[in-house]
Amino acid sequence: METNEHRTLTESLTSCYSDWVHDALDDIPDAFLITDPAIPGHPIVFASRGFLAMSGYASAEVLGRNARIFQGPGTSRRSVMEIREAIREERTLQISLLNYRRDGSPHWILFHLCPVFAPGDGHRHVAHFLSVQVPIPKRSRRTLVVSTTCRDALRMDADLGPDLAVDDSGLEVEEWREAGEREKEKAASVAGEIVSALARYGKLASRKRTGVVLPPLSSALNISLGRIKQSFVLTDPHLPDMPIVYASDGFSSLTGYSRHEVLGRNCRFLNGPGTDTKVLNLIRDNIKAEKASAVRLLNYRKDGSPFWNLLHISPVRNASGKIAFYVGVQIDEGSKSDEHGLSPEMRQLGAVGQVKVAVRSLSSGVGSSRFSS
């Protein structure tokens, strides 16, 4: 039986590309991964045969997981931070990286990261990130053991230069391996081949509802929102009919609708015959007045079953103080218990606060952002 997680991973590619895209990618023998920054946790949604052979993992062991599982005690934290910054800025990066195979053995790779833009939407929307991994061969056999007591002194010794890979735990470390031009050219060539294959199988990725094409959220904002463990949606008051532009995993679990089924739609699809129109009018009036709302509303899941929705709606302002979105946080009244003893109101206010911090901190940041308009 297909789980919601498996369906989400599959739809990550098929929502942008034809159903033949997996076969096309399987024909490319090189080692690479494709990840989706719009899914909470920025998971792997495709792992090539070449990567699985190189790493020793099976496909089921890596799909849905963050690529940090390949890091280990000798992985440079500075390199990891450079990768994170490149993702935040949605740019290409080539960097030498010490990763670990499934059996725990370390291996040096040239890590080539590049953003993959959704085909045909006209917004330069980053739909995925591609990471091509090319092994860096040994060019010497020097291995050093760094004790904890002398670790800091070695880091400060300029004579060691950049050739020493220092393990933060003070354990055995291997010599730093720098990729040569051959590895760099191969990685760039493979990345170009993969991007071209994706372009051939691309289809319009933007969600269209009532003739409206949704401008994309930035990858950094998607990743930040994905860390919030609560049912919520973001809506855009600047677009016709105030459509949903982000829906959390918690929202999908609560309502039964997948993210792809709700993006671009107004939240009224949750309403039904028992929904109180007076409460809906109150919400509309508060949105017009740019005020928050806290209401109890009868809504309906995808399967038609009703639930009492404890709904908190609040405006979300960007760094310049203008309203960028409205956030709606939902709690099923029938399952409102919390393991930490927090009331529904406190949980909702916590989620709203996290959303506001994410939007404000990223609205003036680097990358393809929604907030420049």
Side-chain angles (χ1 to χ4, degrees):
M1 182 178 177
E2 186 181 50
T3 63
N4 287 335
E5 180 183 10
H6 183 269
R7 184 165 57 251
T8 297
L9 297 176
T10 302
E11 289 177 348
S12 173
L13 286 177
T14 57
S15 65
C16 295
Y17 308 100
S18 79
D19 293 341
W20 296 98
V21 68
H22 285 90
D23 293 334
L25 294 174
D26 269 333
D27 287 339
I28 301 175
D30 302 278
F32 64 93
L33 299 171
I34 297 177
T35 60
D36 190 336
I39 300 177
H42 194 173
I44 298 164
V45 297
F46 184 87
S48 72
R49 291 183 293 108
F51 175 84
L52 298 175
M54 180 180 73
S55 66
Y57 284 89
S59 178
E61 294 177 305
V62 301
L63 292 182
R65 303 184 69 181
N66 187 280
R68 72 173 66 93
I69 65 171
F70 310 117
Q71 299 167 15
T75 305
S76 166
R77 300 297 171 249
R78 180 180 298 176
S79 297
V80 172
M81 292 304 297
E82 286 188 50
I83 293 170
R84 290 177 181 168
E85 189 64 20
I87 291 172
R88 174 185 168 85
E89 297 177 359
E90 300 180 344
R91 60 177 171 83
T92 298
L93 172 72
Q94 282 192 339
I95 192 169
S96 297
L97 191 68
L98 182 65
N99 269 355
Y100 290 78
R101 302 182 183 91
R102 189 180 188 278
D103 62 9
S105 59
H107 65 121
W108 281 97
I109 59 167
L110 171 64
F111 185 85
H112 179 106
L113 175 80
C114 66
V116 180
F117 296 95
D121 69 358
H123 286 283
R124 297 286 287 173
H125 164 214
V126 174
H128 299 95
F129 281 92
L130 167 67
S131 60
V132 176
Q133 304 180 24
V134 177
I136 302 177
K138 279 189 176 182
R139 294 186 172 92
S140 71
R141 299 185 57 82
R142 182 164 60 111
T143 299
L144 297 175
V145 176
V146 182
S147 70
T148 303
T149 54
C150 68
R151 179 185 62 210
D152 294 335
L154 285 174
R155 280 178 172 155
M156 296 174 64
D157 190 342
D159 291 336
L160 289 172
D163 292 331
L164 180 64
V166 180
D167 176 6
D168 291 338
S169 65
L171 301 176
E172 181 178 301
V173 292
E174 291 193 349
E175 178 192 6
W176 178 274
R177 294 191 200 172
E178 189 64 44
E181 288 304 313
R182 173 181 291 184
E183 290 84 31
K184 293 178 181 180
E185 291 175 3
K186 176 177 175 59
S189 174
V190 171
E193 180 184 358
I194 297 166
V195 171
S196 295
L198 291 172
R200 287 196 301 273
Y201 288 88
K203 61 187 179 184
L204 185 60
S206 297
R207 300 295 179 273
K208 293 185 177 180
R209 297 289 188 271
T210 63
V212 176
V213 178
L214 297 184
L217 301 182
S218 71
S219 298
L221 182 55
N222 270 313
I223 292 171
S224 294
L225 295 175
R227 299 189 182 108
I228 303 173
K229 306 302 181 184
Q230 184 60 269
S231 171
F232 72 95
V233 296
L234 278 190
T235 62
D236 191 332
H238 307 292
L239 294 177
D241 209 27
M242 199 170 170
I244 295 170
V245 295
Y246 182 89
S248 71
D249 276 2
F251 178 84
S252 296
S253 298
L254 174 63
T255 65
Y257 289 95
S258 71
R259 180 178 290 109
H260 298 290
E261 291 177 303
V262 304
L263 291 181
R265 300 176 68 178
N266 184 281
C267 292
R268 71 173 66 89
F269 68 87
L270 293 173
N271 300 335
T275 305
D276 190 339
T277 57
K278 292 181 180 179
V279 177
L280 297 178
N281 289 333
L282 173 64
I283 293 172
R284 293 189 188 101
D285 290 342
N286 284 342
I287 289 174
K288 288 180 181 178
E290 300 183 351
K291 293 166 53 179
S293 300
V295 299
R296 179 175 178 265
L297 190 67
L298 186 64
N299 278 158
Y300 295 81
R301 298 182 178 89
K302 183 179 179 181
D303 62 10
S305 61
F307 69 100
W308 282 104
N309 184 3
L310 303 180
L311 176 63
H312 184 103
I313 300 173
S314 180
V316 179
R317 300 180 185 275
N318 60 21
S320 64
K322 296 180 180 179
I323 293 179
F325 306 104
Y326 275 83
V327 59
V329 184
Q330 306 84 18
I331 292 181
D332 181 357
E333 187 181 49
S335 58
K336 60 183 179 182
S337 59
D338 178 70
E339 60 180 334
H340 302 294
L342 295 177
S343 67
E345 293 80 6
M346 291 300 297
R347 290 156 59 192
Q348 288 175 320
L349 290 175
V352 169
Q354 288 177 283
V355 171
K356 289 182 176 180
V357 169
V359 170
R360 279 200 301 268
S361 62
L362 294 171
S363 61
S364 57
V366 181
S368 301
S369 173
R370 290 284 308 277
F371 309 107
S372 59
S373 59

